[in-house]
Amino acid sequence: MEHQLTLADIQTGNRCMIVKVHGHGGFRHRILELGFVRGEVVSVLKNAPLQDPVEYEIMGTHVSLRHAEAQKIDVVSLSESDHPDIDKDFHGTIEEHVRLEVEKLSKEITVALVGNPNCGKTSLFNYATGMREKVGNYSGVTVDSKVGTFHHRGFTINLVDLPGTYSLTEYSPEELYVRDYLDNQSPDIVLNIVNAGNLERNLYLTTQLIDRNQPMVMALNMYDELQRSGDKLDHDALARLLGFPVVPVIARTGWGIDNVLEAIVSTYELTTTNAHKHTDSKGEQYDCIRHIHINYGADMEAAIAEVKSLINLNDDKRGLFHTRYLALKLIEHDKTTLEQFAGCANYSDILAAADRYRKQFEKEYDEDITSVISDLRFGFIRGALGETYQTNTRREKTEMGYALDRVLTNRWMGFPILFLFMFLMFEVTFVIGAYPQEWIEQGMEALSGWLRHVMPAGMLTDLLVDGVVAGMGAVLVFVPQILLLFLCISVMEDTGYMARAAFLMDKLMHRMGLHGKSFIPYIIGFGCSVPAVLAARTLENPRDRILTVLTVPFISCSARLPVYLLLVAAFFPRHQALVLLAIYLIGLLIAILTSLLLSKVHFKKQDNPFVMELPPYRVPTLRNSLIHTWDKAKEWLERVSTVVLIASVIIWALGYFPRVDNREQVDASDLATLQLEQSYLGRLGHGIEPVFRPMGMEWRSGISLLAGCAAKEVIASSMAVLYGVDAETVEDNPQPLAERLRTIKDADGNPLFTGLSAFCMMLFVLLYFPCISTLATIRKEIGRGWMYFSAIYSTVVAWVIASAVYQVGLLLL
């Protein structure tokens, strides 16, 4: 969404036309009464000596407004220089052109989706937008919101899917993000998504939104569950009590969504025209667009009134927020609200009054103020539901939506079933995904062969084949597995089983300094670190997300497996399975130790309890699962493709230049070895050879490991070229290279590789520098600084452990 001009943006001497007025309560009514309505022309006359307030002319009257108030009025400039795109065939005046633009903008509605986690916000978003039109991600500090633009009844609706939150306090990044958006972006309508099967808990957030006095519509989602339970809700009566439309909806199937959109448009039209009538489901009209005051009891109401009267002395605050809401937040000792008032002239008076009442209530109720206000809110909720909600008394205590927990989270059966599901997910992802992966690999090989056939031999052909095609191929081959993996994850999330997996594993993961949900990325990491890092998004807490992302690269991915198989076959033929198992367990052990270390050092004061909702089991829809799958896979491709391509081209260039002149007509394998040894990459390998010597490796192994920084898959093929074995032969059969590594000797006749050095090389490959794709994903998920930390820390750990094992092994053996 483009930035909308406000009255505060218009320079002195210029004119503009009003689109819409935001703001709250008395401020908004006063502004509208002064003539600041859609289509009226405003002239900016002059600024006060200190530049604030500003004098405006509207309807022949001079009006003074502060910048903070003017920022709440959306306008379109009447200056011709601000409209360079006017159609040359348009013969009207600039004012007529702007009036058409104002009419168009007045048909644009920004709607904020606000609701609890697991209430179906994203399902409604996906169904309403269809994910067909303009969609963009707008990032916050640690959370994102998604905006979808679509059309309904001549209106353009910008639907903003905000993070799920249980309240609007300041205890989580999600809560702060949602509050900040509502405070600063001024959406036209708040669409409150409520789980009809858990009304009492979900309506707590609704009461906070009511206190803010913003135009609202409630989507009563999962209405089919309410109907199946036998409970009854008079949603029209609830709408009359709350003061805004309440619309039943089943977001996963799309039932009722058109009614929600209709309610949004109607509410927008009613609020912008100062009308108040709405038609309920029975065809009766009632006064639904009104602000109600939740009654918090005589004592609390008296406290709110006194603090509110002190707030009203500050015109700038009165115009930005509903003062009743501010008074309640100040009594609640809300940190963010206190900071907003820190510069006010009567700040000390406001703070003293709020503190006095807060201490009074805490003493009277013998509870902290947050608990006192929460109890009062739930009192209102129970009262409203008592008048509109009827419970089916014959319903069994155990809901069918939770009946499966008797088996799936059973003390004895829970873990076997969990590991069975993990095994099936692994099988689907990496066995079924292997077929299209092979097709893509064959396609890349065919494309490479075709390019070499149609293009003359030379640098450009080598760049396209060995740099561009090979680089893109390294990304594209993972797409089938990524799609299947995220399909499995989406199904597990939509059914509600993912929360059960975290529930089962939490105790074990907590001993590692991690959250129960970290178990899922660890499992995925055995296939590929990139989707494993992305899977850490299921962790809401930043601490748990960062710890999981930083330790996932130590879980041995499938890209490292060819190196293990090569070295194990060459040096441990009698104990292959045991050595391979040891490598995987060492990776898991280092991940655990890293998590414990960071928990004690960097996050020692940030331990968080395991608090997670276990939603009822639901049948996922294919449409939603496919949308979630494609969304995540596309995001992965956008993030890593460019980085991988650039890195692959750079590595290709380092190995390609300077060129070796084949005057002596050496054979192809020797020429390839000579080219690599004398290239910039080879020189770099010789330069850093002393670093690899303590681990029992020489320069050729070092070059292979450097190439492996881009993608671990290239280590084995690099070793094949460097040690004089055809890379294509090695891919089909590792034995020629294994035999070469076992028998190759240095200039003094000593073996270049031993069982000890081979084991140390496997340790280093296991632990060092995550591939470029993984680092790019880490950077996007948790930031540039943690990406550098992951690259440096993992490489240092790999070198220390591999060197220590080699040196101790020399002493013992």
PDB file of all heavy atoms in Angstrom, residues 774-801:
ATOM      1  N   THR A 774      21.576 -22.007   3.546  1.00  0.00           N
ATOM      2  CA  THR A 774      21.202 -21.981   4.959  1.00  0.00           C
ATOM      3  C   THR A 774      21.526 -20.632   5.580  1.00  0.00           C
ATOM      4  O   THR A 774      20.715 -20.067   6.329  1.00  0.00           O
ATOM      5  CB  THR A 774      21.919 -23.105   5.722  1.00  0.00           C
ATOM      6  OG1 THR A 774      21.590 -24.365   5.137  1.00  0.00           O
ATOM      7  CG2 THR A 774      21.516 -23.114   7.184  1.00  0.00           C
ATOM      8  N   LEU A 775      22.697 -20.091   5.279  1.00  0.00           N
ATOM      9  CA  LEU A 775      23.074 -18.789   5.841  1.00  0.00           C
ATOM     10  C   LEU A 775      22.135 -17.687   5.355  1.00  0.00           C
ATOM     11  O   LEU A 775      21.760 -16.789   6.126  1.00  0.00           O
ATOM     12  CB  LEU A 775      24.517 -18.449   5.463  1.00  0.00           C
ATOM     13  CG  LEU A 775      25.609 -19.191   6.245  1.00  0.00           C
ATOM     14  CD1 LEU A 775      26.990 -18.791   5.730  1.00  0.00           C
ATOM     15  CD2 LEU A 775      25.509 -18.892   7.733  1.00  0.00           C
ATOM     16  N   ALA A 776      21.758 -17.747   4.084  1.00  0.00           N
ATOM     17  CA  ALA A 776      20.824 -16.740   3.562  1.00  0.00           C
ATOM     18  C   ALA A 776      19.489 -16.820   4.294  1.00  0.00           C
ATOM     19  O   ALA A 776      18.874 -15.792   4.608  1.00  0.00           O
ATOM     20  CB  ALA A 776      20.621 -16.951   2.063  1.00  0.00           C
ATOM     21  N   THR A 777      19.056 -18.030   4.583  1.00  0.00           N
ATOM     22  CA  THR A 777      17.788 -18.203   5.297  1.00  0.00           C
ATOM     23  C   THR A 777      17.919 -17.746   6.747  1.00  0.00           C
ATOM     24  O   THR A 777      16.999 -17.114   7.291  1.00  0.00           O
ATOM     25  CB  THR A 777      17.355 -19.679   5.240  1.00  0.00           C
ATOM     26  OG1 THR A 777      17.408 -20.131   3.886  1.00  0.00           O
ATOM     27  CG2 THR A 777      15.940 -19.842   5.763  1.00  0.00           C
ATOM     28  N   ILE A 778      19.055 -18.049   7.383  1.00  0.00           N
ATOM     29  CA  ILE A 778      19.297 -17.596   8.758  1.00  0.00           C
ATOM     30  C   ILE A 778      19.271 -16.073   8.823  1.00  0.00           C
ATOM     31  O   ILE A 778      18.687 -15.479   9.740  1.00  0.00           O
ATOM     32  CB  ILE A 778      20.644 -18.139   9.277  1.00  0.00           C
ATOM     33  CG1 ILE A 778      20.555 -19.651   9.499  1.00  0.00           C
ATOM     34  CG2 ILE A 778      21.056 -17.446  10.579  1.00  0.00           C
ATOM     35  CD1 ILE A 778      21.880 -20.287   9.875  1.00  0.00           C
ATOM     36  N   ARG A 779      19.902 -15.434   7.847  1.00  0.00           N
ATOM     37  CA  ARG A 779      19.932 -13.968   7.833  1.00  0.00           C
ATOM     38  C   ARG A 779      18.526 -13.390   7.771  1.00  0.00           C
ATOM     39  O   ARG A 779      18.204 -12.428   8.476  1.00  0.00           O
ATOM     40  CB  ARG A 779      20.748 -13.486   6.635  1.00  0.00           C
ATOM     41  CG  ARG A 779      20.799 -11.964   6.490  1.00  0.00           C
ATOM     42  CD  ARG A 779      21.551 -11.578   5.220  1.00  0.00           C
ATOM     43  NE  ARG A 779      21.612 -10.142   5.057  1.00  0.00           N
ATOM     44  CZ  ARG A 779      20.646  -9.395   4.513  1.00  0.00           C
ATOM     45  NH1 ARG A 779      19.541  -9.977   4.080  1.00  0.00           N
ATOM     46  NH2 ARG A 779      20.780  -8.085   4.401  1.00  0.00           N
ATOM     47  N   LYS A 780      17.690 -13.983   6.945  1.00  0.00           N
ATOM     48  CA  LYS A 780      16.335 -13.474   6.804  1.00  0.00           C
ATOM     49  C   LYS A 780      15.497 -13.738   8.050  1.00  0.00           C
ATOM     50  O   LYS A 780      14.687 -12.906   8.470  1.00  0.00           O
ATOM     51  CB  LYS A 780      15.674 -14.117   5.581  1.00  0.00           C
ATOM     52  CG  LYS A 780      14.226 -13.688   5.367  1.00  0.00           C
ATOM     53  CD  LYS A 780      14.124 -12.202   5.068  1.00  0.00           C
ATOM     54  CE  LYS A 780      12.694 -11.794   4.802  1.00  0.00           C
ATOM     55  NZ  LYS A 780      12.562 -10.337   4.577  1.00  0.00           N
ATOM     56  N   GLU A 781      15.716 -14.900   8.668  1.00  0.00           N
ATOM     57  CA  GLU A 781      14.869 -15.296   9.792  1.00  0.00           C
ATOM     58  C   GLU A 781      15.239 -14.594  11.092  1.00  0.00           C
ATOM     59  O   GLU A 781      14.356 -14.176  11.843  1.00  0.00           O
ATOM     60  CB  GLU A 781      14.941 -16.818   9.984  1.00  0.00           C
ATOM     61  CG  GLU A 781      14.339 -17.612   8.846  1.00  0.00           C
ATOM     62  CD  GLU A 781      12.853 -17.332   8.672  1.00  0.00           C
ATOM     63  OE1 GLU A 781      12.112 -17.440   9.653  1.00  0.00           O
ATOM     64  OE2 GLU A 781      12.453 -16.973   7.545  1.00  0.00           O
ATOM     65  N   ILE A 782      16.546 -14.468  11.399  1.00  0.00           N
ATOM     66  CA  ILE A 782      16.918 -13.909  12.704  1.00  0.00           C
ATOM     67  C   ILE A 782      17.937 -12.781  12.619  1.00  0.00           C
ATOM     68  O   ILE A 782      18.357 -12.269  13.662  1.00  0.00           O
ATOM     69  CB  ILE A 782      17.442 -15.010  13.659  1.00  0.00           C
ATOM     70  CG1 ILE A 782      18.673 -15.713  13.075  1.00  0.00           C
ATOM     71  CG2 ILE A 782      16.349 -16.021  13.967  1.00  0.00           C
ATOM     72  CD1 ILE A 782      19.302 -16.723  14.023  1.00  0.00           C
ATOM     73  N   GLY A 783      18.379 -12.396  11.404  1.00  0.00           N
ATOM     74  CA  GLY A 783      19.212 -11.214  11.288  1.00  0.00           C
ATOM     75  C   GLY A 783      20.634 -11.472  10.825  1.00  0.00           C
ATOM     76  O   GLY A 783      21.172 -12.577  10.936  1.00  0.00           O
ATOM     77  N   ARG A 784      21.246 -10.414  10.304  1.00  0.00           N
ATOM     78  CA  ARG A 784      22.597 -10.501   9.754  1.00  0.00           C
ATOM     79  C   ARG A 784      23.630 -10.878  10.816  1.00  0.00           C
ATOM     80  O   ARG A 784      24.542 -11.677  10.584  1.00  0.00           O
ATOM     81  CB  ARG A 784      22.963  -9.150   9.128  1.00  0.00           C
ATOM     82  CG  ARG A 784      24.301  -9.141   8.402  1.00  0.00           C
ATOM     83  CD  ARG A 784      24.688  -7.702   8.048  1.00  0.00           C
ATOM     84  NE  ARG A 784      23.680  -7.075   7.204  1.00  0.00           N
ATOM     85  CZ  ARG A 784      23.718  -7.100   5.872  1.00  0.00           C
ATOM     86  NH1 ARG A 784      24.705  -7.718   5.260  1.00  0.00           N
ATOM     87  NH2 ARG A 784      22.779  -6.498   5.180  1.00  0.00           N
ATOM     88  N   GLY A 785      23.509 -10.287  12.017  1.00  0.00           N
ATOM     89  CA  GLY A 785      24.485 -10.564  13.070  1.00  0.00           C
ATOM     90  C   GLY A 785      24.531 -12.029  13.451  1.00  0.00           C
ATOM     91  O   GLY A 785      25.618 -12.618  13.605  1.00  0.00           O
ATOM     92  N   TRP A 786      23.357 -12.652  13.609  1.00  0.00           N
ATOM     93  CA  TRP A 786      23.326 -14.078  13.954  1.00  0.00           C
ATOM     94  C   TRP A 786      23.824 -14.928  12.793  1.00  0.00           C
ATOM     95  O   TRP A 786      24.371 -16.028  13.007  1.00  0.00           O
ATOM     96  CB  TRP A 786      21.913 -14.487  14.351  1.00  0.00           C
ATOM     97  CG  TRP A 786      21.497 -14.011  15.705  1.00  0.00           C
ATOM     98  CD1 TRP A 786      20.469 -13.159  16.002  1.00  0.00           C
ATOM     99  CD2 TRP A 786      22.105 -14.341  16.958  1.00  0.00           C
ATOM    100  NE1 TRP A 786      20.403 -12.940  17.368  1.00  0.00           N
ATOM    101  CE2 TRP A 786      21.393 -13.664  17.977  1.00  0.00           C
ATOM    102  CE3 TRP A 786      23.182 -15.145  17.322  1.00  0.00           C
ATOM    103  CZ2 TRP A 786      21.719 -13.763  19.326  1.00  0.00           C
ATOM    104  CZ3 TRP A 786      23.521 -15.258  18.670  1.00  0.00           C
ATOM    105  CH2 TRP A 786      22.789 -14.570  19.650  1.00  0.00           C
ATOM    106  N   MET A 787      23.644 -14.475  11.551  1.00  0.00           N
ATOM    107  CA  MET A 787      24.181 -15.213  10.410  1.00  0.00           C
ATOM    108  C   MET A 787      25.707 -15.276  10.493  1.00  0.00           C
ATOM    109  O   MET A 787      26.319 -16.345  10.324  1.00  0.00           O
ATOM    110  CB  MET A 787      23.756 -14.546   9.102  1.00  0.00           C
ATOM    111  CG  MET A 787      24.322 -15.216   7.861  1.00  0.00           C
ATOM    112  SD  MET A 787      24.129 -14.227   6.355  1.00  0.00           S
ATOM    113  CE  MET A 787      25.329 -12.923   6.636  1.00  0.00           C
ATOM    114  N   TYR A 788      26.342 -14.125  10.780  1.00  0.00           N
ATOM    115  CA  TYR A 788      27.804 -14.110  10.931  1.00  0.00           C
ATOM    116  C   TYR A 788      28.230 -14.983  12.102  1.00  0.00           C
ATOM    117  O   TYR A 788      29.232 -15.706  12.016  1.00  0.00           O
ATOM    118  CB  TYR A 788      28.287 -12.678  11.143  1.00  0.00           C
ATOM    119  CG  TYR A 788      28.144 -11.786   9.929  1.00  0.00           C
ATOM    120  CD1 TYR A 788      27.752 -10.452  10.052  1.00  0.00           C
ATOM    121  CD2 TYR A 788      28.389 -12.272   8.653  1.00  0.00           C
ATOM    122  CE1 TYR A 788      27.610  -9.627   8.947  1.00  0.00           C
ATOM    123  CE2 TYR A 788      28.257 -11.454   7.533  1.00  0.00           C
ATOM    124  CZ  TYR A 788      27.862 -10.142   7.689  1.00  0.00           C
ATOM    125  OH  TYR A 788      27.728  -9.342   6.586  1.00  0.00           O
ATOM    126  N   PHE A 789      27.481 -14.905  13.195  1.00  0.00           N
ATOM    127  CA  PHE A 789      27.829 -15.728  14.354  1.00  0.00           C
ATOM    128  C   PHE A 789      27.769 -17.210  14.001  1.00  0.00           C
ATOM    129  O   PHE A 789      28.664 -17.987  14.356  1.00  0.00           O
ATOM    130  CB  PHE A 789      26.867 -15.434  15.512  1.00  0.00           C
ATOM    131  CG  PHE A 789      27.040 -16.358  16.684  1.00  0.00           C
ATOM    132  CD1 PHE A 789      28.028 -16.122  17.630  1.00  0.00           C
ATOM    133  CD2 PHE A 789      26.223 -17.475  16.840  1.00  0.00           C
ATOM    134  CE1 PHE A 789      28.196 -16.985  18.703  1.00  0.00           C
ATOM    135  CE2 PHE A 789      26.383 -18.338  17.907  1.00  0.00           C
ATOM    136  CZ  PHE A 789      27.376 -18.088  18.848  1.00  0.00           C
ATOM    137  N   SER A 790      26.716 -17.622  13.304  1.00  0.00           N
ATOM    138  CA  SER A 790      26.568 -19.026  12.931  1.00  0.00           C
ATOM    139  C   SER A 790      27.730 -19.492  12.058  1.00  0.00           C
ATOM    140  O   SER A 790      28.293 -20.575  12.271  1.00  0.00           O
ATOM    141  CB  SER A 790      25.241 -19.231  12.190  1.00  0.00           C
ATOM    142  OG  SER A 790      25.088 -20.566  11.786  1.00  0.00           O
ATOM    143  N   ALA A 791      28.110 -18.671  11.067  1.00  0.00           N
ATOM    144  CA  ALA A 791      29.194 -19.045  10.161  1.00  0.00           C
ATOM    145  C   ALA A 791      30.525 -19.163  10.905  1.00  0.00           C
ATOM    146  O   ALA A 791      31.264 -20.144  10.728  1.00  0.00           O
ATOM    147  CB  ALA A 791      29.305 -18.013   9.039  1.00  0.00           C
ATOM    148  N   ILE A 792      30.830 -18.183  11.754  1.00  0.00           N
ATOM    149  CA  ILE A 792      32.118 -18.168  12.459  1.00  0.00           C
ATOM    150  C   ILE A 792      32.144 -19.219  13.566  1.00  0.00           C
ATOM    151  O   ILE A 792      33.108 -19.997  13.686  1.00  0.00           O
ATOM    152  CB  ILE A 792      32.397 -16.763  13.042  1.00  0.00           C
ATOM    153  CG1 ILE A 792      32.534 -15.754  11.902  1.00  0.00           C
ATOM    154  CG2 ILE A 792      33.643 -16.768  13.916  1.00  0.00           C
ATOM    155  CD1 ILE A 792      32.583 -14.307  12.362  1.00  0.00           C
ATOM    156  N   TYR A 793      31.086 -19.260  14.385  1.00  0.00           N
ATOM    157  CA  TYR A 793      31.052 -20.182  15.516  1.00  0.00           C
ATOM    158  C   TYR A 793      31.139 -21.629  15.051  1.00  0.00           C
ATOM    159  O   TYR A 793      31.934 -22.428  15.593  1.00  0.00           O
ATOM    160  CB  TYR A 793      29.774 -19.956  16.324  1.00  0.00           C
ATOM    161  CG  TYR A 793      29.554 -20.970  17.410  1.00  0.00           C
ATOM    162  CD1 TYR A 793      30.234 -20.878  18.626  1.00  0.00           C
ATOM    163  CD2 TYR A 793      28.669 -22.031  17.242  1.00  0.00           C
ATOM    164  CE1 TYR A 793      30.036 -21.815  19.628  1.00  0.00           C
ATOM    165  CE2 TYR A 793      28.465 -22.974  18.234  1.00  0.00           C
ATOM    166  CZ  TYR A 793      29.149 -22.862  19.430  1.00  0.00           C
ATOM    167  OH  TYR A 793      28.957 -23.797  20.416  1.00  0.00           O
ATOM    168  N   SER A 794      30.339 -22.000  14.039  1.00  0.00           N
ATOM    169  CA  SER A 794      30.337 -23.384  13.577  1.00  0.00           C
ATOM    170  C   SER A 794      31.692 -23.780  13.004  1.00  0.00           C
ATOM    171  O   SER A 794      32.167 -24.906  13.230  1.00  0.00           O
ATOM    172  CB  SER A 794      29.239 -23.594  12.529  1.00  0.00           C
ATOM    173  OG  SER A 794      29.438 -22.750  11.414  1.00  0.00           O
ATOM    174  N   THR A 795      32.344 -22.873  12.276  1.00  0.00           N
ATOM    175  CA  THR A 795      33.651 -23.183  11.694  1.00  0.00           C
ATOM    176  C   THR A 795      34.718 -23.324  12.774  1.00  0.00           C
ATOM    177  O   THR A 795      35.565 -24.232  12.707  1.00  0.00           O
ATOM    178  CB  THR A 795      34.050 -22.094  10.687  1.00  0.00           C
ATOM    179  OG1 THR A 795      33.011 -21.954   9.699  1.00  0.00           O
ATOM    180  CG2 THR A 795      35.352 -22.446   9.995  1.00  0.00           C
ATOM    181  N   VAL A 796      34.677 -22.449  13.760  1.00  0.00           N
ATOM    182  CA  VAL A 796      35.638 -22.544  14.868  1.00  0.00           C
ATOM    183  C   VAL A 796      35.439 -23.844  15.640  1.00  0.00           C
ATOM    184  O   VAL A 796      36.398 -24.559  15.969  1.00  0.00           O
ATOM    185  CB  VAL A 796      35.504 -21.332  15.810  1.00  0.00           C
ATOM    186  CG1 VAL A 796      36.315 -21.540  17.093  1.00  0.00           C
ATOM    187  CG2 VAL A 796      35.957 -20.061  15.104  1.00  0.00           C
ATOM    188  N   VAL A 797      34.177 -24.169  15.944  1.00  0.00           N
ATOM    189  CA  VAL A 797      33.878 -25.420  16.654  1.00  0.00           C
ATOM    190  C   VAL A 797      34.360 -26.615  15.840  1.00  0.00           C
ATOM    191  O   VAL A 797      34.961 -27.548  16.380  1.00  0.00           O
ATOM    192  CB  VAL A 797      32.365 -25.526  16.938  1.00  0.00           C
ATOM    193  CG1 VAL A 797      31.987 -26.924  17.377  1.00  0.00           C
ATOM    194  CG2 VAL A 797      31.965 -24.528  18.008  1.00  0.00           C
ATOM    195  N   ALA A 798      34.114 -26.603  14.529  1.00  0.00           N
ATOM    196  CA  ALA A 798      34.529 -27.704  13.665  1.00  0.00           C
ATOM    197  C   ALA A 798      36.050 -27.862  13.685  1.00  0.00           C
ATOM    198  O   ALA A 798      36.570 -28.985  13.802  1.00  0.00           O
ATOM    199  CB  ALA A 798      34.039 -27.458  12.242  1.00  0.00           C
ATOM    200  N   TRP A 799      36.766 -26.743  13.571  1.00  0.00           N
ATOM    201  CA  TRP A 799      38.236 -26.817  13.548  1.00  0.00           C
ATOM    202  C   TRP A 799      38.789 -27.300  14.884  1.00  0.00           C
ATOM    203  O   TRP A 799      39.703 -28.154  14.915  1.00  0.00           O
ATOM    204  CB  TRP A 799      38.810 -25.431  13.213  1.00  0.00           C
ATOM    205  CG  TRP A 799      40.304 -25.449  13.029  1.00  0.00           C
ATOM    206  CD1 TRP A 799      40.982 -25.698  11.880  1.00  0.00           C
ATOM    207  CD2 TRP A 799      41.289 -25.226  14.043  1.00  0.00           C
ATOM    208  NE1 TRP A 799      42.343 -25.637  12.096  1.00  0.00           N
ATOM    209  CE2 TRP A 799      42.563 -25.346  13.424  1.00  0.00           C
ATOM    210  CE3 TRP A 799      41.232 -24.927  15.402  1.00  0.00           C
ATOM    211  CZ2 TRP A 799      43.751 -25.201  14.130  1.00  0.00           C
ATOM    212  CZ3 TRP A 799      42.421 -24.774  16.098  1.00  0.00           C
ATOM    213  CH2 TRP A 799      43.659 -24.908  15.479  1.00  0.00           C
ATOM    214  N   VAL A 800      38.267 -26.780  15.982  1.00  0.00           N
ATOM    215  CA  VAL A 800      38.764 -27.170  17.312  1.00  0.00           C
ATOM    216  C   VAL A 800      38.537 -28.654  17.561  1.00  0.00           C
ATOM    217  O   VAL A 800      39.450 -29.381  18.002  1.00  0.00           O
ATOM    218  CB  VAL A 800      38.082 -26.324  18.410  1.00  0.00           C
ATOM    219  CG1 VAL A 800      38.378 -26.893  19.788  1.00  0.00           C
ATOM    220  CG2 VAL A 800      38.543 -24.877  18.325  1.00  0.00           C
ATOM    221  N   ILE A 801      37.340 -29.145  17.271  1.00  0.00           N
ATOM    222  CA  ILE A 801      37.030 -30.551  17.544  1.00  0.00           C
ATOM    223  C   ILE A 801      37.813 -31.471  16.614  1.00  0.00           C
ATOM    224  O   ILE A 801      38.409 -32.467  17.070  1.00  0.00           O
ATOM    225  CB  ILE A 801      35.515 -30.793  17.396  1.00  0.00           C
ATOM    226  CG1 ILE A 801      34.766 -30.067  18.522  1.00  0.00           C
ATOM    227  CG2 ILE A 801      35.195 -32.281  17.405  1.00  0.00           C
ATOM    228  CD1 ILE A 801      33.268 -30.178  18.447  1.00  0.00           C
TER     229      ILE A 801
END
